[in-house]
Amino acid sequence: MPDQTADQAGLDDLRGDCAQCFGLCCVALPFAASADFAIDKDAGKPCPNLQGDHRCGIHARLRQKGFNGCTVYDCFGAGQKVSQITFSGQDWRDGSPEHARRMLDVFPVVRQLHELLWYLTEALTLPAARPLHADLRRILAETEQLTRQTPGELAALDVGAHRQEVNVLLLKTSELVRAGTRGRKKDRRGADLMGARLKGADLRGANLRGAYLIAADLTGADLRGADLIGADLRDADLSDADLTGAFFLTQPQLNAARGSAGTRLPESVARPVHWTARL
């Protein structure tokens, strides 16, 4: 089980708080008419459902209105960081067009950094990763410092290079954690498992980093201790699956999947409302 430390509590700071954000994801990000979105929208253009108070006018009916993609998105707290800290609470609507452009350009950068903060913070809750905790804390502090740079510095940041540095430690973390799982541990890193029939599969301690599990049948599967970083779980069926101790699983991944009241989850994520709600 993860350590119940300040690091675990730190994950709460890496969840989107729309009340402290200026609706940045509803403006900065583009989307195309598809199964996930009912309309086309260009980057930098406000969604027509965005209200003057930065709230979504159809938030309670997003799925019914064809905006499933919005329900699976999470900024990892980047929205409130950019709104309240990077730009000191100045709304993108209140300044010049250049001010709005800078804010919307910076948001995706900080969002990537905050996702890395999520993984690093979670890694520090994993007892098996104790030999790496000093290095994890160092790069966690470096990443947090990057998020607090000026808009100009953030716009020029090479996020990819920093991500590679972080990933070296996350890979080592994964190896240490999965080594504690008994039995043969499957390596399915980057595997194409779209629509795979994995009902009841033994995937304990599996490496599923970046695996394509779109619409896979994982009902009743044992995913305890599996590394799920970057795994594509869109429409995957996790009904009655056991993800206890699975790590590097994010809320957006889980929101994109299907599940049931019997699905067992890590403490770091919440059971999606739509798993049990009647639409």
Side-chain angles (χ1 to χ4, degrees), residues 137-239:
R137 291 188 188 281
R138 171 186 57 78
I139 203 163
L140 174 69
E142 291 176 4
T143 306
E144 173 61 28
Q145 186 174 15
L146 288 176
T147 71
R148 295 178 180 273
Q149 292 188 119
T150 67
E153 291 170 329
L154 284 165
L157 181 65
D158 186 347
V159 182
H162 186 68
R163 182 181 288 274
Q164 289 180 5
E165 183 180 358
V166 171
N167 195 47
V168 170
L169 281 176
L170 297 182
L171 282 168
K172 292 179 179 179
T173 297
S174 178
E175 291 169 0
L176 288 173
V177 175
R178 291 185 298 105
T181 302
R182 294 181 180 179
R184 182 170 173 268
K185 294 170 281 293
K186 296 180 174 62
D187 187 352
R188 295 290 187 269
R189 182 177 182 180
D192 183 353
L193 298 170
M194 291 189 289
R197 299 177 180 177
L198 297 168
K199 183 175 182 179
D202 183 357
L203 294 169
R204 287 174 295 172
N207 183 355
L208 291 166
R209 296 171 64 90
Y212 296 93
L213 288 158
I214 302 170
D217 181 4
L218 289 160
T219 57
D222 192 342
L223 291 151
R224 286 177 292 173
D227 181 349
L228 291 167
I229 194 169
D232 194 335
L233 295 172
R234 283 178 292 170
D235 207 33
D237 192 347
L238 296 171
S239 297

XYZ file of all heavy atoms in Angstrom, residues 137-239:
773
model
N 12.598 13.615 -5.112
C 12.290 14.888 -4.468
C 13.032 16.040 -5.163
O 12.492 17.141 -5.317
C 12.650 14.848 -2.985
C 11.754 13.944 -2.158
C 12.034 14.096 -0.672
N 11.315 13.108 0.107
C 10.023 13.190 0.423
N 9.319 14.233 0.019
N 9.439 12.239 1.136
N 14.259 15.769 -5.578
C 15.037 16.815 -6.257
C 14.356 17.239 -7.561
O 14.146 18.431 -7.802
C 16.451 16.302 -6.552
C 17.269 17.244 -7.442
C 18.601 16.611 -7.830
N 18.444 15.333 -8.500
C 18.100 15.204 -9.791
N 17.852 16.282 -10.533
N 18.010 14.001 -10.335
N 14.001 16.270 -8.379
C 13.424 16.631 -9.674
C 11.985 17.114 -9.529
O 11.493 17.892 -10.348
C 13.540 15.448 -10.670
C 13.483 15.983 -12.101
C 12.454 14.405 -10.440
C 13.981 15.002 -13.133
N 11.309 16.681 -8.461
C 9.982 17.227 -8.165
C 10.095 18.726 -7.882
O 9.311 19.535 -8.403
C 9.374 16.509 -6.967
C 8.036 17.051 -6.444
C 6.917 16.780 -7.438
C 7.686 16.424 -5.103
N 11.079 19.102 -7.067
C 11.278 20.516 -6.741
C 11.657 21.310 -7.988
O 11.194 22.440 -8.185
C 12.368 20.658 -5.678
N 12.491 20.721 -8.852
C 12.879 21.395 -10.086
C 11.675 21.617 -10.991
O 11.529 22.688 -11.602
C 13.932 20.566 -10.827
C 15.278 20.513 -10.141
C 16.257 19.605 -10.866
O 15.891 19.083 -11.953
O 17.376 19.406 -10.364
N 10.806 20.608 -11.067
C 9.625 20.712 -11.920
C 8.663 21.757 -11.392
O 8.107 22.556 -12.152
C 8.921 19.346 -12.021
O 9.857 18.349 -12.455
C 7.766 19.395 -13.019
N 8.468 21.778 -10.076
C 7.605 22.786 -9.470
C 8.157 24.188 -9.730
O 7.396 25.123 -10.023
C 7.481 22.530 -7.965
C 6.752 23.616 -7.187
C 5.315 23.832 -7.629
O 4.678 22.872 -8.123
O 4.832 24.975 -7.499
N 9.468 24.327 -9.643
C 10.084 25.631 -9.896
C 9.848 26.067 -11.343
O 9.610 27.250 -11.606
C 11.582 25.568 -9.590
C 12.291 26.909 -9.693
C 13.737 26.835 -9.254
O 14.313 25.739 -9.132
N 14.354 27.973 -9.003
N 9.893 25.121 -12.261
C 9.641 25.439 -13.668
C 8.228 25.985 -13.861
O 8.013 26.891 -14.662
C 9.849 24.207 -14.544
C 11.289 23.727 -14.747
C 11.303 22.437 -15.568
C 12.132 24.792 -15.433
N 7.266 25.431 -13.127
C 5.880 25.882 -13.288
C 5.690 27.317 -12.824
O 4.686 27.953 -13.163
C 4.887 24.992 -12.505
O 5.038 25.217 -11.087
C 5.086 23.525 -12.816
N 6.647 27.834 -12.045
C 6.522 29.181 -11.485
C 7.374 30.203 -12.235
O 7.602 31.312 -11.750
C 6.874 29.154 -9.997
C 5.887 28.339 -9.177
C 6.246 28.263 -7.712
N 5.264 27.473 -6.977
C 4.142 27.963 -6.452
N 3.873 29.265 -6.567
N 3.289 27.189 -5.814
N 7.827 29.833 -13.413
C 8.581 30.768 -14.235
C 7.666 31.829 -14.848
O 6.439 31.714 -14.806
C 9.315 30.015 -15.354
C 10.436 29.130 -14.858
C 11.246 28.576 -16.003
O 12.436 28.818 -16.118
N 10.601 27.820 -16.880
N 8.252 32.826 -15.439
C 7.495 33.883 -16.099
C 6.839 33.323 -17.358
O 7.278 32.293 -17.896
C 8.401 35.048 -16.488
O 9.316 34.606 -17.504
C 9.170 35.576 -15.283
N 5.806 34.001 -17.864
C 5.176 33.533 -19.100
C 6.165 33.376 -20.248
O 6.092 32.396 -21.011
C 4.146 34.625 -19.392
C 3.783 35.158 -18.043
C 5.062 35.131 -17.266
N 7.113 34.312 -20.375
C 8.098 34.223 -21.440
C 9.001 33.008 -21.289
O 9.309 32.313 -22.270
N 9.417 32.728 -20.061
C 10.274 31.565 -19.804
C 9.523 30.268 -20.059
O 10.084 29.306 -20.609
C 10.793 31.618 -18.373
C 11.792 32.741 -18.116
C 12.114 32.923 -16.652
O 11.226 32.656 -15.805
O 13.244 33.337 -16.335
N 8.266 30.219 -19.664
C 7.462 29.017 -19.878
C 7.242 28.761 -21.364
O 7.304 27.616 -21.819
C 6.119 29.154 -19.160
C 6.157 28.964 -17.649
C 4.867 29.468 -17.007
C 6.379 27.492 -17.301
N 6.997 29.823 -22.121
C 6.754 29.663 -23.558
C 7.988 29.116 -24.274
O 7.872 28.418 -25.287
C 6.338 31.002 -24.166
N 9.181 29.427 -23.735
C 10.423 28.989 -24.372
C 10.941 27.661 -23.825
O 11.944 27.129 -24.314
C 11.496 30.066 -24.178
N 10.255 27.109 -22.844
C 10.728 25.890 -22.178
C 10.655 24.667 -23.087
O 9.663 24.453 -23.788
C 9.880 25.638 -20.927
C 10.239 24.411 -20.089
C 11.620 24.547 -19.488
C 9.194 24.201 -19.001
N 11.718 23.861 -23.064
C 11.731 22.586 -23.789
C 11.156 21.517 -22.852
O 11.891 20.853 -22.121
C 13.160 22.234 -24.203
C 13.224 20.981 -25.089
O 12.212 20.250 -25.176
O 14.287 20.750 -25.682
N 9.836 21.374 -22.880
C 9.177 20.433 -21.978
C 9.589 19.004 -22.294
O 9.744 18.172 -21.398
C 7.643 20.574 -22.053
C 6.972 19.618 -21.082
C 7.214 21.997 -21.738
N 9.782 18.709 -23.571
C 10.155 17.351 -23.963
C 11.454 16.900 -23.324
O 11.573 15.757 -22.867
N 12.432 17.785 -23.275
C 13.724 17.443 -22.684
C 13.570 17.186 -21.187
O 14.166 16.244 -20.644
C 14.719 18.568 -22.930
N 12.777 18.009 -20.532
C 12.560 17.805 -19.097
C 11.783 16.515 -18.852
O 12.080 15.776 -17.900
C 11.817 18.995 -18.500
C 11.683 18.919 -17.008
N 12.749 19.027 -16.152
C 10.591 18.704 -16.215
C 12.341 18.902 -14.905
N 11.029 18.703 -14.911
N 10.822 16.230 -19.702
C 10.048 14.991 -19.560
C 10.957 13.764 -19.661
O 10.779 12.788 -18.925
C 8.954 14.933 -20.629
C 8.066 13.695 -20.528
C 7.020 13.687 -21.629
N 6.003 14.687 -21.396
C 4.928 14.480 -20.649
N 4.744 13.317 -20.040
N 4.039 15.438 -20.497
N 11.922 13.818 -20.570
C 12.844 12.690 -20.713
C 13.659 12.472 -19.446
O 13.897 11.328 -19.025
C 13.774 12.931 -21.908
C 13.093 12.827 -23.262
C 14.040 13.071 -24.412
O 15.247 13.230 -24.217
N 13.511 13.104 -25.621
N 14.079 13.576 -18.827
C 14.849 13.464 -17.584
C 13.994 12.856 -16.477
O 14.461 11.992 -15.720
C 15.345 14.854 -17.165
C 16.221 14.834 -15.925
C 16.705 16.213 -15.524
O 16.390 17.191 -16.232
O 17.387 16.322 -14.488
N 12.742 13.299 -16.384
C 11.828 12.748 -15.388
C 11.561 11.275 -15.662
O 11.507 10.449 -14.741
C 10.504 13.542 -15.376
C 9.466 12.846 -14.498
C 10.740 14.968 -14.885
N 11.412 10.931 -16.926
C 11.036 9.559 -17.280
C 12.096 8.544 -16.867
O 11.768 7.397 -16.577
C 10.776 9.464 -18.785
C 10.045 8.188 -19.158
O 9.061 7.817 -18.520
N 10.535 7.499 -20.175
N 13.364 8.957 -16.854
C 14.417 8.041 -16.415
C 14.132 7.558 -14.992
O 14.229 6.362 -14.681
C 15.797 8.736 -16.483
C 16.863 7.866 -15.806
C 16.185 9.013 -17.921
N 13.738 8.486 -14.122
C 13.433 8.127 -12.737
C 12.119 7.352 -12.633
O 12.001 6.435 -11.813
C 13.361 9.383 -11.871
C 14.703 9.976 -11.440
C 14.487 11.269 -10.682
C 15.484 8.979 -10.594
N 11.154 7.701 -13.458
C 9.881 6.981 -13.406
C 10.043 5.541 -13.873
O 9.394 4.632 -13.338
C 8.835 7.706 -14.269
C 8.457 9.122 -13.820
C 7.387 9.685 -14.739
C 7.975 9.129 -12.374
N 10.909 5.321 -14.845
C 11.186 3.948 -15.293
C 11.848 3.141 -14.182
O 11.502 1.974 -13.950
C 12.078 3.975 -16.532
C 11.395 4.311 -17.860
C 12.436 4.596 -18.935
C 10.495 3.161 -18.307
N 12.798 3.751 -13.500
C 13.462 3.062 -12.388
C 12.464 2.776 -11.269
O 12.502 1.700 -10.648
C 14.622 3.909 -11.865
C 15.786 4.033 -12.834
C 16.892 4.908 -12.244
C 18.072 5.019 -13.197
N 19.153 5.893 -12.655
N 11.571 3.721 -11.031
C 10.526 3.520 -10.025
C 9.661 2.327 -10.390
O 9.360 1.468 -9.548
C 9.645 4.780 -9.908
O 10.444 5.873 -9.458
C 8.501 4.557 -8.932
N 9.261 2.269 -11.644
C 8.416 1.167 -12.114
C 9.088 -0.182 -11.914
O 8.464 -1.145 -11.458
C 8.086 1.375 -13.592
O 7.315 0.303 -14.108
N 10.361 -0.249 -12.235
C 11.088 -1.517 -12.093
C 11.138 -1.966 -10.639
O 10.943 -3.156 -10.338
C 12.500 -1.354 -12.655
C 12.535 -1.182 -14.175
C 13.901 -0.756 -14.685
O 14.824 -0.597 -13.839
O 14.050 -0.567 -15.900
N 11.381 -1.025 -9.732
C 11.449 -1.366 -8.313
C 10.095 -1.824 -7.782
O 10.005 -2.812 -7.039
C 11.933 -0.159 -7.512
C 13.403 0.220 -7.651
C 13.682 1.539 -6.931
C 14.300 -0.887 -7.087
N 9.033 -1.119 -8.170
C 7.698 -1.446 -7.659
C 7.225 -2.791 -8.208
O 6.727 -3.647 -7.464
C 6.694 -0.332 -8.016
C 5.283 -0.731 -7.592
C 7.084 0.971 -7.334
N 7.389 -2.996 -9.501
C 6.883 -4.233 -10.106
C 7.705 -5.453 -9.707
O 7.210 -6.579 -9.745
C 6.847 -4.096 -11.629
C 5.791 -3.093 -12.107
C 5.652 -3.023 -13.622
N 6.868 -2.594 -14.264
C 7.691 -3.388 -14.920
N 7.416 -4.694 -15.047
N 8.794 -2.921 -15.472
N 8.953 -5.214 -9.309
C 9.797 -6.336 -8.866
C 9.226 -6.996 -7.619
O 9.505 -8.176 -7.348
C 11.213 -5.850 -8.595
N 8.409 -6.278 -6.879
C 7.820 -6.836 -5.670
C 6.608 -7.702 -5.908
O 6.058 -8.290 -4.963
N 6.169 -7.796 -7.148
C 5.016 -8.636 -7.477
C 5.484 -10.048 -7.802
O 6.370 -10.243 -8.636
C 4.249 -8.073 -8.701
O 3.836 -6.742 -8.400
C 3.043 -8.927 -9.028
N 4.893 -11.014 -7.150
C 5.292 -12.403 -7.374
C 4.826 -12.890 -8.740
O 3.843 -12.417 -9.293
C 4.698 -13.306 -6.297
C 5.254 -13.041 -4.901
C 4.635 -13.994 -3.899
N 5.160 -13.768 -2.551
C 4.769 -14.449 -1.494
N 3.839 -15.401 -1.609
N 5.299 -14.194 -0.310
N 5.537 -13.861 -9.248
C 5.145 -14.491 -10.505
C 5.719 -13.782 -11.721
O 6.473 -12.815 -11.630
N 5.339 -14.290 -12.871
C 5.812 -13.742 -14.139
C 5.078 -12.445 -14.444
O 3.862 -12.398 -14.479
C 5.564 -14.764 -15.257
C 6.062 -14.337 -16.633
C 5.984 -15.518 -17.596
N 6.307 -15.114 -18.960
C 5.400 -14.732 -19.853
N 4.120 -14.714 -19.515
N 5.754 -14.392 -21.071
N 5.851 -11.393 -14.687
C 5.270 -10.072 -14.936
C 5.324 -9.769 -16.430
O 6.399 -9.717 -17.025
C 6.025 -9.022 -14.116
C 5.843 -9.203 -12.610
C 6.771 -8.325 -11.813
C 8.182 -8.914 -11.739
N 8.234 -10.157 -10.956
N 4.167 -9.606 -17.032
C 4.087 -9.409 -18.476
C 4.595 -8.033 -18.875
O 4.350 -7.043 -18.208
C 2.638 -9.584 -18.949
C 2.097 -10.996 -18.743
C 0.667 -11.103 -19.225
C 0.169 -12.547 -19.165
N 0.160 -13.066 -17.792
N 5.316 -7.991 -19.995
C 5.791 -6.733 -20.541
C 4.967 -6.410 -21.773
O 5.139 -7.012 -22.828
C 7.272 -6.827 -20.916
C 7.853 -5.472 -21.333
O 7.061 -4.515 -21.469
O 9.080 -5.382 -21.513
N 4.053 -5.456 -21.626
C 3.174 -5.052 -22.724
C 3.361 -3.561 -23.018
O 2.444 -2.903 -23.440
C 1.714 -5.344 -22.363
C 1.392 -6.824 -22.193
C 1.435 -7.543 -23.538
N 0.982 -8.925 -23.439
C 1.783 -9.952 -23.199
N 3.089 -9.725 -23.024
N 1.310 -11.180 -23.133
N 4.574 -3.093 -22.826
C 4.844 -1.672 -23.051
C 4.576 -1.306 -24.511
O 5.133 -1.904 -25.439
C 6.287 -1.341 -22.690
C 6.627 0.135 -22.856
C 8.042 0.431 -22.407
N 8.334 1.859 -22.522
C 9.488 2.410 -22.205
N 10.466 1.644 -21.717
N 9.667 3.711 -22.348
N 3.701 -0.322 -24.722
C 3.386 0.148 -26.064
C 2.644 -0.860 -26.930
O 2.499 -0.647 -28.132
N 2.139 -1.932 -26.339
C 1.498 -2.997 -27.120
C 0.155 -2.540 -27.690
O -0.560 -1.753 -27.096
C 1.296 -4.231 -26.247
N -0.169 -3.069 -28.857
C -1.467 -2.811 -29.475
C -2.444 -3.857 -28.958
O -2.460 -5.001 -29.426
C -1.358 -2.887 -30.995
C -2.681 -2.552 -31.702
O -3.702 -2.401 -31.012
O -2.679 -2.462 -32.942
N -3.236 -3.470 -27.980
C -4.204 -4.365 -27.365
C -5.623 -3.826 -27.550
O -6.509 -4.098 -26.756
C -3.892 -4.536 -25.872
C -2.528 -5.175 -25.552
C -2.215 -5.067 -24.065
C -2.498 -6.631 -25.994
N -5.821 -3.102 -28.631
C -7.140 -2.527 -28.901
C -8.166 -3.637 -29.120
O -7.963 -4.532 -29.952
C -7.085 -1.609 -30.127
C -6.298 -0.339 -29.897
S -6.443 0.869 -31.244
C -5.489 0.057 -32.509
N -9.226 -3.594 -28.335
C -10.277 -4.596 -28.454
C -9.880 -5.975 -27.959
O -10.608 -6.944 -28.186
N -8.745 -6.074 -27.286
C -8.255 -7.379 -26.826
C -9.202 -8.011 -25.813
O -9.809 -7.327 -24.988
C -6.869 -7.227 -26.213
N -9.306 -9.336 -25.893
C -10.132 -10.084 -24.951
C -9.264 -10.503 -23.770
O -8.569 -11.521 -23.821
C -10.739 -11.298 -25.639
C -11.651 -10.929 -26.812
C -12.166 -12.158 -27.520
N -13.045 -11.813 -28.635
C -13.591 -12.712 -29.462
N -13.353 -14.010 -29.285
N -14.357 -12.308 -30.458
N -9.305 -9.709 -22.724
C -8.462 -9.925 -21.556
C -9.294 -10.149 -20.303
O -8.864 -9.851 -19.196
C -7.515 -8.731 -21.376
C -6.516 -8.499 -22.517
C -5.839 -7.147 -22.373
C -5.474 -9.621 -22.529
N -10.464 -10.677 -20.484
C -11.357 -10.927 -19.358
C -10.690 -11.877 -18.374
O -10.237 -12.973 -18.740
C -12.674 -11.527 -19.853
C -13.696 -11.765 -18.756
C -15.013 -12.256 -19.335
C -16.064 -12.455 -18.253
N -17.358 -12.900 -18.810
N -10.600 -11.457 -17.127
C -10.003 -12.283 -16.088
C -8.509 -12.478 -16.214
O -7.932 -13.324 -15.524
N -7.839 -11.699 -17.065
C -6.408 -11.881 -17.297
C -5.577 -11.560 -16.059
O -5.916 -10.671 -15.279
C -5.959 -10.999 -18.459
N -4.501 -12.299 -15.890
C -3.568 -12.051 -14.796
C -2.522 -11.058 -15.292
O -1.596 -11.418 -16.024
C -2.895 -13.353 -14.365
C -1.949 -13.149 -13.174
O -1.784 -11.984 -12.725
O -1.374 -14.141 -12.694
N -2.685 -9.807 -14.930
C -1.766 -8.748 -15.364
C -1.095 -8.105 -14.151
O -0.715 -6.947 -14.183
C -2.529 -7.698 -16.175
C -3.092 -8.196 -17.516
C -4.053 -7.177 -18.106
C -1.957 -8.483 -18.494
N -0.924 -8.884 -13.101
C -0.269 -8.380 -11.904
C 1.168 -7.960 -12.215
O 1.930 -8.723 -12.810
C -0.256 -9.447 -10.811
C -1.606 -9.695 -10.157
C -1.536 -10.867 -9.196
N -1.253 -12.115 -9.908
C -0.994 -13.274 -9.317
N -0.943 -13.331 -7.993
N -0.757 -14.356 -10.032
N 1.511 -6.733 -11.814
C 2.871 -6.253 -12.031
C 3.242 -6.066 -13.488
O 4.426 -5.929 -13.817
N 2.252 -6.007 -14.360
C 2.546 -5.885 -15.792
C 3.049 -4.493 -16.139
O 2.695 -3.500 -15.489
C 1.293 -6.191 -16.606
N 3.883 -4.428 -17.154
C 4.323 -3.155 -17.709
C 3.382 -2.819 -18.860
O 3.467 -3.394 -19.940
C 5.761 -3.256 -18.216
C 6.285 -1.924 -18.748
O 5.550 -0.944 -18.831
N 7.557 -1.892 -19.114
N 2.467 -1.895 -18.618
C 1.489 -1.492 -19.633
C 1.690 -0.029 -20.028
O 0.772 0.622 -20.501
C 0.069 -1.704 -19.093
C -0.342 -3.174 -18.911
C -1.607 -3.283 -18.070
C -0.558 -3.838 -20.267
N 2.907 0.444 -19.881
C 3.226 1.830 -20.231
C 2.926 2.084 -21.705
O 3.467 1.424 -22.584
C 4.698 2.124 -19.957
C 5.093 2.024 -18.493
C 6.594 2.101 -18.313
N 7.134 3.389 -18.724
C 7.278 4.439 -17.910
N 6.908 4.348 -16.636
N 7.788 5.559 -18.346
N 2.059 3.045 -21.968
C 1.758 3.423 -23.340
C 1.015 2.383 -24.149
O 0.910 2.509 -25.371
N 0.474 1.357 -23.498
C -0.249 0.315 -24.232
C -1.577 0.850 -24.751
O -2.221 1.684 -24.117
C -0.487 -0.895 -23.332
N -1.981 0.365 -25.919
C -3.259 0.755 -26.510
C -4.317 -0.269 -26.091
O -4.391 -1.362 -26.643
C -3.149 0.817 -28.036
C -2.193 1.877 -28.516
C -0.858 1.570 -28.781
C -2.608 3.194 -28.671
C 0.028 2.546 -29.208
C -1.727 4.179 -29.100
C -0.414 3.848 -29.368
O 0.470 4.822 -29.784
N -5.112 0.124 -25.106
C -6.128 -0.767 -24.564
C -7.530 -0.263 -24.901
O -8.489 -0.568 -24.199
C -5.956 -0.880 -23.049
C -4.735 -1.699 -22.600
C -4.330 -1.335 -21.183
C -5.019 -3.190 -22.710
N -7.639 0.451 -26.000
C -8.926 1.016 -26.412
C -9.943 -0.111 -26.624
O -9.697 -1.061 -27.362
C -8.773 1.828 -27.711
C -7.754 2.956 -27.514
C -10.115 2.402 -28.158
C -7.352 3.653 -28.799
N -11.087 0.007 -25.943
C -12.189 -0.951 -26.051
C -11.790 -2.382 -25.692
O -12.466 -3.335 -26.074
C -12.794 -0.922 -27.459
N -10.710 -2.535 -24.933
C -10.307 -3.878 -24.494
C -11.262 -4.376 -23.411
O -11.787 -3.598 -22.617
C -8.882 -3.846 -23.956
N -11.484 -5.687 -23.401
C -12.323 -6.300 -22.367
C -11.428 -6.725 -21.212
O -10.742 -7.743 -21.292
C -13.066 -7.510 -22.942
C -13.977 -8.177 -21.906
O -14.081 -7.643 -20.778
O -14.574 -9.217 -22.225
N -11.430 -5.935 -20.150
C -10.613 -6.212 -18.970
C -11.502 -6.541 -17.771
O -11.077 -6.406 -16.626
C -9.729 -5.004 -18.651
C -8.571 -4.751 -19.624
C -8.074 -3.316 -19.516
C -7.431 -5.733 -19.356
N -12.710 -7.013 -18.043
C -13.615 -7.340 -16.940
C -12.989 -8.424 -16.064
O -12.522 -9.455 -16.545
C -14.978 -7.822 -17.465
O -14.794 -8.945 -18.334
C -15.683 -6.731 -18.243
N -12.968 -8.155 -14.778
C -12.435 -9.129 -13.835
C -10.937 -9.337 -13.917
O -10.403 -10.229 -13.255
N -10.231 -8.522 -14.684
C -8.782 -8.695 -14.824
C -8.070 -8.288 -13.535
O -8.548 -7.433 -12.786
C -8.262 -7.874 -15.992
N -6.918 -8.906 -13.299
C -6.113 -8.592 -12.115
C -4.968 -7.682 -12.543
O -4.005 -8.128 -13.170
C -5.570 -9.876 -11.496
C -4.964 -9.639 -10.111
O -4.656 -8.467 -9.794
O -4.798 -10.619 -9.359
N -5.094 -6.392 -12.232
C -4.098 -5.390 -12.616
C -3.351 -4.853 -11.402
O -2.779 -3.766 -11.446
C -4.790 -4.242 -13.358
C -5.329 -4.592 -14.747
C -6.531 -3.730 -15.090
C -4.241 -4.418 -15.781
N -3.333 -5.622 -10.337
C -2.661 -5.169 -9.129
C -1.175 -4.935 -9.400
O -0.495 -5.781 -9.978
C -2.831 -6.190 -8.010
C -4.225 -6.212 -7.408
C -4.364 -7.291 -6.349
N -4.304 -8.627 -6.928
C -4.258 -9.746 -6.226
N -4.263 -9.696 -4.897
N -4.217 -10.916 -6.834
N -0.700 -3.755 -8.994
C 0.722 -3.462 -9.142
C 1.172 -3.212 -10.562
O 2.381 -3.207 -10.830
N 0.258 -2.987 -11.489
C 0.638 -2.745 -12.881
C 1.013 -1.279 -13.096
O 0.465 -0.382 -12.461
C -0.506 -3.125 -13.813
N 1.961 -1.054 -13.996
C 2.351 0.297 -14.390
C 1.458 0.707 -15.553
O 1.518 0.120 -16.633
C 3.823 0.311 -14.814
C 4.313 1.696 -15.215
O 3.485 2.608 -15.368
O 5.541 1.852 -15.402
N 0.640 1.747 -15.353
C -0.330 2.158 -16.363
C -0.037 3.547 -16.925
O -0.910 4.154 -17.548
C -1.740 2.133 -15.761
C -2.279 0.731 -15.452
C -3.517 0.818 -14.572
C -2.607 -0.014 -16.735
N 1.176 4.024 -16.781
C 1.481 5.357 -17.263
C 1.271 5.438 -18.783
O 1.778 4.611 -19.546
C 2.927 5.755 -16.886
C 3.143 7.252 -17.081
C 3.956 4.983 -17.686
C 4.443 7.767 -16.476
N 0.463 6.389 -19.201
C 0.240 6.601 -20.627
C -0.602 5.557 -21.324
O -0.798 5.640 -22.543
N -1.128 4.568 -20.611
C -1.960 3.543 -21.250
C -3.263 4.176 -21.732
O -3.878 4.957 -21.020
C -2.245 2.405 -20.276
N -3.667 3.835 -22.945
C -4.901 4.391 -23.516
C -6.058 3.485 -23.144
O -6.218 2.394 -23.709
C -4.768 4.500 -25.033
C -5.857 5.369 -25.655
O -6.944 5.483 -25.044
O -5.633 5.923 -26.739
N -6.874 3.943 -22.204
C -7.974 3.133 -21.679
C -9.340 3.584 -22.194
O -10.367 3.225 -21.628
C -7.970 3.195 -20.150
C -6.750 2.579 -19.453
C -6.787 2.885 -17.962
C -6.686 1.084 -19.694
N -9.347 4.315 -23.304
C -10.628 4.782 -23.829
C -11.569 3.615 -24.122
O -11.224 2.699 -24.871
C -10.414 5.599 -25.100
C -9.900 7.012 -24.865
C -9.674 7.722 -26.171
N -8.555 7.134 -26.909
C -8.254 7.446 -28.170
N -9.001 8.291 -28.844
N -7.202 6.886 -28.761
N -12.725 3.653 -23.485
C -13.782 2.657 -23.671
C -13.358 1.249 -23.258
O -14.037 0.274 -23.586
C -14.270 2.649 -25.121
C -15.712 2.166 -25.246
O -16.504 2.429 -24.316
O -16.045 1.510 -26.254
N -12.249 1.120 -22.539
C -11.875 -0.192 -22.009
C -12.852 -0.561 -20.897
O -13.277 0.299 -20.123
C -10.450 -0.168 -21.468
N -13.217 -1.838 -20.812
C -14.168 -2.287 -19.801
C -13.409 -2.818 -18.591
O -12.810 -3.893 -18.640
C -15.083 -3.374 -20.371
C -16.278 -3.659 -19.462
O -16.266 -3.210 -18.302
O -17.224 -4.328 -19.921
N -13.445 -2.047 -17.505
C -12.763 -2.414 -16.267
C -13.734 -2.935 -15.216
O -13.401 -2.992 -14.035
C -12.013 -1.196 -15.713
C -10.869 -0.638 -16.570
C -10.377 0.681 -15.990
C -9.723 -1.632 -16.666
N -14.905 -3.351 -15.633
C -15.900 -3.847 -14.682
C -15.326 -4.985 -13.846
O -14.767 -5.951 -14.384
C -17.146 -4.342 -15.423
O -17.772 -3.286 -16.115
